Amino acid sequence: MSNPLIAGKAGETHLLLGNEAIVRGAVEAGVQFVSCYPGTPSSEVPDTFFRLSPEADYYFEYSTNEKVALEASAGAALGGARALCTMKHVGVNVAADPLMTLSYTGVPGALVLLSADDPGCHSSQNEQDNRYFARLGGLPVFEPASAQECKDMTRTAMALSDELDGPVLLRTTTRVNHLRGPVTLADAEKAPAPAGFQKDPSKYVPIPAFARPMHLRLLERMQRAMELAETSEYNTVTGSGTVGVVASGISRAYLSDALTLSGLGDKVKVLELGFTYPLPEQLVLSFMKGLTKVLVVEELEPLLENDLRVLVQTTGLDIEIFGKNTLPRYGEFTVGMVEDALRSVLGEAPAVRPVNPPEEGLPMRPPNLCAGCPHRASYLTTRKVFGDEAIYSSDIGCYTLGILPPLKSADLLVCMGSSISAGSGLSKATGQTVVAFLGDSTFFHSGMTGLANAVYNQHDILVVILDNKTTAMTGHQPHPGVEKSIMGDNESRVIIEDVVRGLGVTEIRKVNPLNQKKFTAAVEELKAKSGVRVLIAEEPCPLFARRAYGKKPQVTAYVTPEYDMSEGVMERVACPAFYQDDDCRLAVNELLCAGCMLCVQQSDNIKSKKKGDK
Amino acid sequence: MSVTPLRIFMTGVGGQGTLTATTLLAKAALLRGLPVTSGEIHGMAQRGGVVESTLLIGLKSPKIGPGEADVLMGFEPLETLRALIYLKPGGAVFSSTESTPPLSVSTGQATCPGLVDVEGRVAEVAGITGWYPCQSLGLQAGAAQAGNIALLGAVAASGVLPFGPDAVAEAITANMKPKIAAINLKALELGVEAAKA
């Protein structure tokens, strides 16, 4: 059955996830080239492109990291293609180097960069506001607030990039990526085949002599973008009064609901900004005519607020601006918060909003490594050999969940790939024993450069590459080292062991961590050595193995009556398939057990049997 | 279109199908021509953690703050209790009675309030309550995961939504493969019957 995201016709309405709507917007814009590195909350965009690629006309790739992804899309757009590149907010840090210069060179085709920000840190290490990048690099910005706008603005952003010959930022936040709403489709455009790269070093090679005029052309482009923002259909003024509200992104939804629910709608004049940068100054000035107060509703940083303050100061207006003195500079807003901010600016008392007190003392339900996860085995063994004294330098992936007791295998973490390089520096500066843990996808993302550095600079570190054959955390995306993806075999596999050897590492072991005896021996052997050592802990993620390898657990662990609770397997291994039965004895939930047999290797009194056997 | 705004907060445990239920309910609302927005939080939540989602009719924000939900649907009783802060005092609570204890509880390292305590606490703040053995109803229909749909049936039959179980049934038929749809339609019906009992 053809998917409406590809084959849908104008006028059809579908309930779409924000991220699916972005895919449809790109398809409607005639996208030809899509590259990405996955990361929550952006992942459903590339995953949907990937899944639908057999029935679509675009080229799609999972790139090794965000810098590579953006450069690949840049190359395509320099050759005249319409390109979309997607990543989460911290990915843009990795891609910042090409981004800052792409706006100088411009792109004869079209290039839209999706930055999926995460206010509230739902699944990220920080809540940085990537609207700064647009100001730093010189990119027009669109910020949708509904599924329909996710589609429409992606399409418009692509058209704008085409028109201005420069990259455009589509900035979303978690709530927008992961909302669902009705989306009415338009027909998909068929873009002409890319014209091919036209040589012109003065435009595309930013040596200093060429870079200076490029900067002037960028400033001119941003001036034209501002003129287009003045009349954009996404920037609208409604209502009347002497108190104004300016809102952008998802804050527009909070504001709209606050006005609907509070009855304050007829007391304020509202400027909604969807095409948010460069600020349409004439529109803002005409909006502010007759206002005495303006409340700016934007999550995270006071960017629009500061722009407005500058505008008010330079034009000599007598308007009081409210923003971060009324609403927080961190986390997400709620409808209630926006309503109260509005009331405070209007001089009204905050709404009385009775709330049930939070329930105290409930047991938490933290996310956990799954039953059968090979990382549990890797952590258990490494800790057994290295103990509490070693410093465990962690990285970004499912395996960060090793932070939880009893495994406690994440002592420090900075960003993707930092396990090796930060671990190297730590060990050099302090002489402490460091074990770095990183996953297979993270190794290709930015672990390789750190490993080459460790070899060259003669660092002392044990690197455990947790190779579960997929990018598990973000939804089982492939990477260069995988054997399989949901689409079939990987025909151009890059073997991690070969890469490690090629980077100059001589002490390499590759062992399945579920084989505790062999794995323990390998860890002990490498512990006794110094310098850069690499242990590849190889075993597929069981969730992925079920999907891609068709591997279903055949056996289950069970606890014999001889097991003594003082053996402590439950406390040490902490598998989600464990429970205490009515007699307060350890038991294994056969439905949850993945048959990894890690616990069986911890006690002679835990045994295996075929699933279903008594 | 003028519609009475309605905010529904849903909570459950990763893997229970909370998001499937949310999407189905949103599709049912859309089938009845209602302006609908839903929201969900993914990511770390999927590794056995809490999964929260929202459904809003006549409103645009995909997020529900403390004290803002008209209806709270809990697919697991401990999570129903934890999410009670989102319920508008006097609102409606529909919940499964069947527990999936967190690892700390199932391994005896922590305790969790019993069902009687949970029901008592909910009764103190909710205007309408409904408790159903969802997983059992799901199993009766043919699959434990269909328990969510049984809860949708009970909620749709209670009259708190601007549409009835028929809209949910249409959404199931339109969006699921026939074999799976049959199980879920049965679960829906069991939920509707449970609500009327």
Side-chain angles (χ1 to χ4, degrees), chain A residues 279-294:
Chain A
L279 187 73
E281 291 184 355
Q282 295 311 315
L283 177 67
V284 174
L285 285 172
S286 100
F287 164 76
M288 291 200 295
K289 201 174 269 177
L291 299 184
T292 56
K293 294 176 177 180
V294 171

Side-chain angles (χ1 to χ4, degrees), chain A residues 180 257 359 365 368 580, chain B residues 38 47 61 79 100 106 121:
Chain A
R180 277 177 211 274
D257 288 355
E359 301 295 324
R365 198 187 293 274
N368 200 341
Q580 258 192 4
Chain B
S38 74
R47 303 285 176 265
S61 149
E79 296 317 319
T100 305
S106 59
R121 184 70 195 95

Side-chain angles (χ1 to χ4, degrees), chain A residues 20-57:
Chain A
E20 293 170 333
I22 289 171
V23 171
R24 174 64 192 186
V27 167
E28 287 186 7
V31 72
Q32 292 160 320
F33 191 100
V34 184
S35 59
C36 75
Y37 189 79
T40 316
S42 75
S43 302
E44 296 82 7
V45 177
D47 293 356
T48 304
F49 275 117
F50 181 49
R51 198 161 37 83
L52 301 180
S53 54
E55 56 175 297
D57 292 333

